[in-house]
Structures are given as structure tokens and as C-alpha cells.
Amino acid sequence: MDRIPTLIALHPRRSIVIGKAVLLVGAVMVLCAVFARSSLAGLNEERARAGLSALRTLAEAFPAYPTWFVPETVLGFGIAAALVVAGTTLVTLGEKAAKR
């Protein structure tokens, strides 16, 4: 566990870049989930008017598109939040190491 702070101290710029990339991935996952859930709600509203059953997952609604990276459950949102926190931590520690 001592290896990570050592690597951050040795290469602060690299940790900042990696941290920003991880933060971006987590943020994009959350934004995709927000837009996908609103789209699914709209589709379900139309299906309810037509008397059809509601769709539960994005894969049912959009079978032609890859939706594996869009969080739909608590576990998925937890992973996205962990990526955001890890990215923010890496950027913060990298910036502190760069000041030294």
C-alpha cells in the first residue's frame, strides 16, 4: 500500500493525468445513466399509452446499442461514484506532490 503514494510523489504529472481520466470516465458513466433513464421513462410513457408492458432495462429498450457501461443498479452507480472519488483523490494528491 505504500507503493501508491511513492509513485504519486515520483510522478505527480502522471497521477494528475490518470486521475483526470478516471474522473472523466466516472462522470460520463453517471451522465449516460441520467440521460438513459430519462429516455427509458419517456419510452415507458409511450408504451403505457399504447397498453404495452413497461421496459425494465436499457438493453430491452435499445437492443442494437451497447449499454453495458451505463449504470442501472445501485452497484453500477457505486462503481461510477468510486471512480469519481478515486480520480478526484489522485488529482488532489498529484497536485500536492507537484507543489513540493
Side-chain angles (χ1 to χ4, degrees), residues 42-94:
L43 285 173
N44 280 335
E45 183 179 330
E46 291 177 13
R47 289 178 64 88
R49 285 186 199 155
L52 300 172
S53 62
L55 300 172
R56 290 185 175 174
T57 64
L58 292 174
E60 292 175 352
F62 306 108
Y65 298 105
T67 58
W68 55 266
F69 62 92
V70 180
E72 295 186 62
T73 61
V74 175
L75 178 64
F77 279 104
I79 291 171
L83 287 173
V84 169
V85 169
T88 305
T89 304
L90 273 175
V91 169
T92 304
L93 292 175

Side-chain angles (χ1 to χ4, degrees), residues 6-80:
T6 305
L7 286 174
I8 292 172
L10 289 175
H11 307 289
R13 282 278 166 218
R14 186 180 300 169
S15 68
I16 291 171
V17 170
I18 292 172
K20 286 181 180 180
V22 170
L23 176 67
L24 180 66
V25 167
V28 166
M29 285 175 65
V30 170
L31 284 175
C32 284
V34 168
F35 288 121
R37 295 306 289 178
S38 66
S39 170
L40 191 61
L43 285 173
N44 280 335
E45 183 179 330
E46 291 177 13
R47 289 178 64 88
R49 285 186 199 155
L52 300 172
S53 62
L55 300 172
R56 290 185 175 174
T57 64
L58 292 174
E60 292 175 352
F62 306 108
Y65 298 105
T67 58
W68 55 266
F69 62 92
V70 180
E72 295 186 62
T73 61
V74 175
L75 178 64
F77 279 104
I79 291 171

